[in-house]
Structure formats: C-alpha cells, structure tokens
Amino acid sequence: MAVMLAVLSLLLHAAAFYFIILLFSKYSGLKAIEKEQRQLLEETEQLLAGYMMEIKDENEKMLREISIPQEPRDEEKQETAEREPNSREAEEEELPAHLKELVLLQEKAETAANPEGSSLSPKDEVEMLSKQGFSAEEIARKLGRGKTEIQLMMKFGQK
C-alpha cells in the first residue's frame, strides 16, 4: 500500500510539474506578445507625432504665404485691365458662328422657361440648370451662390 501511495504521489508530482511548465510557457508567450504590442504602439505614436509636426510646419508655411500680400506684376495688371471691359465681347468673338447661335438659343430657352426672372425656388433653379448639364461651379456663378451650397442642393435634390 505504501508503494502504491508513493507511485500515486510520484504521478501527481509529475502532473503538477507538467502543468507548471505548461503555464510558464503560456505566460512567457503572453509576455512576448505584450512586448511586441508596446513596440508597435511606440512606433505608431512616433509616426503620428512626426506626421503632426509636418502638418504643423505646412500650416505655418501656408499662413506665412497668405499673410504676405502678393501684388500682381505690372504686366498682369495691364492684361487684366484690358480684358475686363471687353470680356463678354471677347468670349463671343472667340466662339464660332454655330456656337454663338447655340448660346443665344440657350439664353432664349432659359428666359422662356423662367420669364419672371427667379420665380422658381433656388432648389428648382439648381435642378433645372443641373439637368441642362451645367456644373456646380457654373450654377453657383449664374445664381450668385456658393459652390458648396449648390453641391448640397444637388445632392439633396437627387434623393
């Protein structure tokens, strides 16, 4: 009986040592994973800090450029002064005859579709001009509104 107890004790000790070794290997594996995670976190923080510094530098550079008033050169002033009074006429002169006719027909169609000026709601005007193929920027210029406002009207009008 004593021999059986000794064998049983030996088996229990062996099993206990086996489980202790198994737990130690799992624990060391978790420690290694934790160490890798810390390294990744540190690298990510360093990358983000570097990125933020670059953005800060670019913003400061942009603010410096904006704050410095840049006057156009004398040549550019003269060119724009010459173009402004005759800009509408110059555009019409540059167009071929068949395109001029199309522009006139389109203007007539717009006035016929809306004889009272702007009796349509802004949303309807945007929708009508959009269907005619005008871009958001062109519509904004025609209606005297912001480009973003027109884009929003176009998006909400589609739903």
Side-chain angles (χ1 to χ4, degrees), residues 29-41:
L30 287 174
K31 282 289 191 183
I33 290 173
E34 183 181 1
K35 184 178 179 182
E36 289 175 14
Q37 291 294 325
R38 281 189 185 142
Q39 284 178 329
L40 285 173
L41 183 62

Side-chain angles (χ1 to χ4, degrees), residues 5 15-16 18 20 87 102 122:
L5 284 174
Y18 174 73
I20 289 171
S87 62
L102 286 175

Side-chain angles (χ1 to χ4, degrees), residues 20-83:
I20 289 171
I21 292 171
L22 186 64
L23 285 173
F24 180 74
S25 66
K26 293 283 184 180
Y27 179 74
S28 62
L30 287 174
K31 282 289 191 183
I33 290 173
E34 183 181 1
K35 184 178 179 182
E36 289 175 14
Q37 291 294 325
R38 281 189 185 142
Q39 284 178 329
L40 285 173
L41 183 62
E42 288 174 6
E43 289 175 6
T44 304
E45 287 176 352
Q46 289 174 354
L47 285 173
L48 286 174
Y51 181 69
M52 294 299 289
M53 292 300 293
E54 286 180 22
I55 289 176
K56 182 180 175 184
D57 291 341
E58 288 178 16
N59 285 343
E60 289 173 354
K61 180 181 175 185
M62 181 187 70
L63 289 174
R64 281 192 305 269
E65 288 177 2
I66 289 174
S67 65
I68 298 172
Q70 295 180 356
E71 295 184 19
R73 295 177 293 187
D74 292 333
E75 299 167 355
E76 292 175 0
K77 287 180 184 177
Q78 289 175 354
E79 289 177 11
T80 55
E82 291 173 1
R83 285 187 213 158

Side-chain angles (χ1 to χ4, degrees), residues 138-149:
E138 293 169 332
I139 295 172
R141 259 190 257 122
K142 282 185 178 247
L143 300 179
R145 295 182 177 262
K147 180 180 171 185
T148 306
E149 180 182 0

